[in-house]
Amino acid sequence: MSSARITALEAEVAGLRKALVSRTVIGQATGLIAARKPCTPQQAFQLLVHVSQHHNIKLHVAADRLVAAFVHAHLGRPVKPADQVLWDHVNATTANESGESDDGFAEEVSSTSP
Protein backbone atom coordinates (compact mmCIF):
# COMPACT_ATOMS: atom_id res chain seq x y z
CA MET A 1 0.00 0.00 0.00
CA SER A 2 1.36 3.42 -0.92
CA SER A 3 2.17 6.04 1.69
CA ALA A 4 -0.31 8.43 0.03
CA ARG A 5 -3.07 5.84 0.45
CA ILE A 6 -2.10 5.27 4.09
CA THR A 7 -2.12 9.03 4.74
CA ALA A 8 -5.57 9.32 3.14
CA LEU A 9 -6.91 6.45 5.24
CA GLU A 10 -5.43 7.92 8.44
CA ALA A 11 -7.09 11.25 7.64
CA GLU A 12 -10.39 9.48 7.01
CA VAL A 13 -10.17 7.62 10.34
CA ALA A 14 -9.35 10.86 12.17
CA GLY A 15 -12.37 12.53 10.56
CA LEU A 16 -14.64 9.66 11.54
CA ARG A 17 -13.40 9.77 15.13
CA LYS A 18 -14.05 13.51 15.27
CA ALA A 19 -17.55 13.00 13.85
CA LEU A 20 -18.27 10.33 16.44
CA VAL A 21 -17.27 12.63 19.30
CA SER A 22 -19.34 15.47 17.83
CA ARG A 23 -22.42 13.28 17.45
CA THR A 24 -22.04 11.99 21.00
CA VAL A 25 -21.96 15.46 22.56
CA ILE A 26 -24.82 16.61 20.32
CA GLY A 27 -26.84 13.63 21.55
CA GLN A 28 -25.99 14.46 25.17
CA ALA A 29 -27.02 18.10 24.77
CA THR A 30 -30.22 17.09 22.99
CA GLY A 31 -31.04 14.72 25.85
CA LEU A 32 -30.39 17.39 28.47
CA ILE A 33 -32.60 19.88 26.66
CA ALA A 34 -35.39 17.32 26.21
CA ALA A 35 -35.18 16.41 29.90
CA ARG A 36 -35.43 20.05 30.98
CA LYS A 37 -38.02 21.24 28.47
CA PRO A 38 -41.47 19.93 27.66
CA CYS A 39 -40.43 18.72 24.21
CA THR A 40 -39.56 15.70 22.14
CA PRO A 41 -35.95 14.77 21.34
CA GLN A 42 -36.53 16.03 17.79
CA GLN A 43 -37.75 19.38 19.09
CA ALA A 44 -34.79 19.51 21.49
CA PHE A 45 -32.42 18.96 18.56
CA GLN A 46 -34.13 21.74 16.61
CA LEU A 47 -33.81 24.00 19.66
CA LEU A 48 -30.09 23.17 19.81
CA VAL A 49 -29.77 24.04 16.11
CA HIS A 50 -31.61 27.32 16.79
CA VAL A 51 -29.24 28.21 19.66
CA SER A 52 -26.23 27.34 17.51
CA GLN A 53 -27.42 29.53 14.65
CA HIS A 54 -28.52 32.40 16.89
CA HIS A 55 -25.12 32.54 18.61
CA ASN A 56 -23.25 31.82 15.35
CA ILE A 57 -21.33 28.83 16.68
CA LYS A 58 -20.99 25.34 15.30
CA LEU A 59 -23.57 22.85 16.48
CA HIS A 60 -21.08 20.57 18.22
CA VAL A 61 -19.49 23.57 19.96
CA ALA A 62 -22.86 24.76 21.27
CA ALA A 63 -23.62 21.22 22.41
CA ASP A 64 -20.25 20.86 24.14
CA ARG A 65 -20.66 24.18 25.94
CA LEU A 66 -24.20 23.31 27.09
CA VAL A 67 -23.08 19.93 28.42
CA ALA A 68 -20.04 21.44 30.16
CA ALA A 69 -22.18 24.17 31.76
CA PHE A 70 -24.71 21.61 32.93
CA VAL A 71 -22.01 19.42 34.49
CA HIS A 72 -20.29 22.38 36.16
CA ALA A 73 -23.57 23.68 37.60
CA HIS A 74 -24.48 20.27 39.00
CA LEU A 75 -21.04 19.81 40.54
CA GLY A 76 -21.29 23.23 42.19
CA ARG A 77 -18.55 24.67 40.02
CA PRO A 78 -18.81 28.10 38.39
CA VAL A 79 -20.32 28.17 34.91
CA LYS A 80 -18.65 30.38 32.32
CA PRO A 81 -20.88 33.40 31.63
CA ALA A 82 -20.78 32.75 27.85
CA ASP A 83 -21.98 29.18 28.45
CA GLN A 84 -24.69 30.36 30.85
CA VAL A 85 -25.96 32.63 28.06
CA LEU A 86 -26.56 29.52 25.94
CA TRP A 87 -28.61 27.87 28.72
CA ASP A 88 -30.48 31.12 29.28
CA HIS A 89 -31.38 31.07 25.59
CA VAL A 90 -32.52 27.44 25.85
CA ASN A 91 -34.60 28.25 28.92
CA ALA A 92 -36.20 31.27 27.26
CA THR A 93 -37.12 29.36 24.11
CA THR A 94 -39.72 26.66 23.81
CA ALA A 95 -40.21 24.24 20.96
CA ASN A 96 -43.60 24.55 19.31
CA GLU A 97 -45.69 21.62 20.60
CA SER A 98 -47.17 20.81 17.19
CA GLY A 99 -43.82 20.81 15.47
CA GLU A 100 -45.28 23.27 12.97
CA SER A 101 -43.19 26.27 12.32
CA ASP A 102 -43.71 29.80 13.38
CA ASP A 103 -39.94 29.72 12.98
CA GLY A 104 -40.28 26.62 15.12
CA PHE A 105 -40.08 28.48 18.39
CA ALA A 106 -42.01 30.82 20.61
CA GLU A 107 -40.33 32.97 23.20
CA GLU A 108 -41.32 32.56 26.83
CA VAL A 109 -39.94 33.81 30.11
CA SER A 110 -38.10 31.31 32.28
CA SER A 111 -35.89 31.83 35.28
CA THR A 112 -34.47 28.31 35.41
CA SER A 113 -30.75 27.81 35.01
CA PRO A 114 -28.76 24.61 34.61
Side-chain angles (χ1 to χ4, degrees):
M1 193 179 292
S2 73
S3 69
R5 177 77 173 135
I6 291 171
T7 301
L9 290 172
E10 287 173 342
E12 183 178 356
V13 168
L16 291 170
R17 285 186 177 143
K18 184 177 177 182
L20 183 60
V21 170
S22 293
R23 286 182 186 228
T24 300
V25 76
I26 289 167
Q28 291 170 342
T30 298
L32 287 171
I33 292 168
R36 295 177 54 88
K37 305 289 288 178
C39 66
T40 67
Q42 294 80 9
Q43 290 171 321
F45 178 76
Q46 288 304 315
L47 201 149
L48 178 60
V49 168
H50 172 77
V51 168
S52 167
Q53 291 174 343
H54 182 81
H55 292 277
N56 197 29
I57 54 179
K58 292 185 181 255
L59 185 65
H60 72 92
V61 172
D64 188 53
R65 288 175 51 188
L66 286 169
V67 170
F70 183 87
V71 169
H72 280 107
H74 282 79
L75 293 177
R77 296 180 183 158
V79 175
K80 293 178 184 176
D83 296 346
Q84 182 62 48
V85 166
L86 297 180
W87 269 112
D88 292 344
H89 191 137
V90 168
N91 291 330
T93 307
T94 183
N96 185 339
E97 294 283 274
S98 67
E100 299 294 329
S101 94
D102 59 335
D103 285 348
F105 303 97
E107 297 297 321
E108 76 177 21
V109 177
S110 172
S111 60
T112 334
S113 62

